[in-house]
Amino acid sequence: QVQLVQSGAEVKKPGASVKVSCKASGYTFTNYYLHWVRQAPGQGLEWMGLINSNTGDTKFAQKFQGWVTMTRDTSISTAYMELSRLTSDDTAMYYCAKSLGDYASGRVHYFDYWGQGTLVTVSS
Amino acid sequence: QSALTQPPSASGSPGQSVTISCTGTSSDVGGYNYVSWYQQHPGKAPKLMIYEVSKRPSGVPDRFSGSKSGNSASLTVSGLQAEDEADYYCSSYAGSHNWVFGGGTRLTVL
């Protein structure tokens, strides 16, 4: 069965960086996009960006360009999201999510499996 | 990219139907048939309920249906059940490898 297992909760000081991992299993990792979505406490979902798990190409929401990095290690079917220059506004649950369809399908626009979330707390 | 507009709350009694709206622009909802809906229970990850405006993934009850007209999409939950109480989010492709979510609607089953 498809699973996305994320790394554990993090507490960071303002100005620091955080790197969250997302280990995939149960499907061919390189055939699907992995998206990253965050949710501040009590707030809605915010799409951050995606990585083509095959080529490593990335696309980011304009808001995150320049301060988020997304990478992957195909040998261990794991994707990473690193956010730098953290502020208290970055306190949120961070999710990875797999695209419903593979690159050849028309169903790349939907997120069918989600990780359990990684809580990142930014506090001095 | 601005978030899609959803009502903050909706409610209905068991067995009733409720419809949640999601309003965007011609650059997202109106420009593509790539609208999806997600259900999120407290403390849980979102779950895909509807994709491509009106299609249901395997395992999602047919009580859930979706539609779209112009720049707005809707999710209808028929035959409300207690377990439908959750937050619901719409999402749309917005072009140039960008996606946008709605602000979310808390559905209460009275």
Side-chain angles (χ1 to χ4, degrees):
Chain A
Q1 71 285 19
V2 174
Q3 277 193 309
L4 297 174
V5 179
Q6 298 183 222
S7 49
E10 302 264 12
V11 179
K12 296 291 183 181
K13 294 195 180 303
S17 297
V18 68
K19 190 171 186 177
V20 178
S21 67
C22 171
K23 182 169 178 59
S25 61
Y27 70 98
T28 303
F29 176 74
T30 51
N31 284 0
Y32 298 82
Y33 288 116
L34 263 180
H35 297 257
W36 290 89
V37 176
R38 78 176 184 180
Q39 186 172 36
Q43 302 300 308
L45 303 172
E46 182 176 30
W47 183 80
M48 298 178 66
L50 64 80
I51 184 166
N52 180 316
S53 303
N54 184 36
T55 66
D57 288 346
T58 54
K59 297 289 184 182
F60 306 120
Q62 186 173 9
K63 171 180 179 177
F64 295 99
Q65 288 178 7
W67 58 298
V68 68
T69 304
M70 295 179 186
T71 56
R72 92 282 185 239
D73 184 338
T74 58
S75 69
I76 56 172
S77 301
T78 299
Y80 304 91
M81 185 282 299
E82 184 171 17
L83 198 58
S84 61
R85 306 192 304 275
L86 293 168
T87 73
S88 58
D89 288 343
D90 298 314
T91 293
M93 186 72 81
Y94 289 78
Y95 293 101
C96 59
K98 169 188 161 292
S99 61
L100 174 63
D102 63 21
Y103 308 123
S105 77
R107 299 179 299 166
V108 298
H109 307 288
Y110 319 107
F111 324 123
D112 62 343
Y113 285 91
W114 296 64
Q116 83 276 20
T118 296
L119 180 62
V120 175
T121 302
V122 183
S123 174
S124 55
Chain B
Q1 197 71 40
S2 300
L4 307 175
T5 300
Q6 297 181 234
S9 64
S11 62
S13 299
Q16 288 187 332
S17 293
V18 64
T19 297
I20 298 170
S21 63
C22 170
T23 302
T25 69
S26 58
S27 297
D28 38 62
V29 175
Y32 306 94
N33 285 325
Y34 298 143
V35 175
S36 52
W37 290 89
Y38 300 85
Q39 176 191 67
Q40 186 180 34
H41 287 109
K44 300 294 187 182
K47 174 186 176 183
L48 178 65
M49 304 300 284
I50 294 286
Y51 69 96
E52 206 170 308
V53 176
S54 60
K55 296 181 179 178
R56 282 186 309 277
S58 174
V60 173
D62 60 6
R63 303 186 292 103
F64 292 84
S65 62
S67 63
K68 192 190 95 165
S69 178
N71 295 339
S72 293
S74 296
L75 172 73
T76 298
V77 186
S78 305
L80 270 176
Q81 297 183 5
E83 60 261 35
D84 299 333
E85 185 162 295
D87 294 329
Y88 290 84
Y89 294 90
C90 60
S91 175
S92 176
Y93 181 59
S96 301
H97 284 88
N98 272 281
W99 283 260
V100 64
F101 284 97
T105 298
R106 175 149 297 177
L107 175 59
T108 300
V109 180
L110 302 170

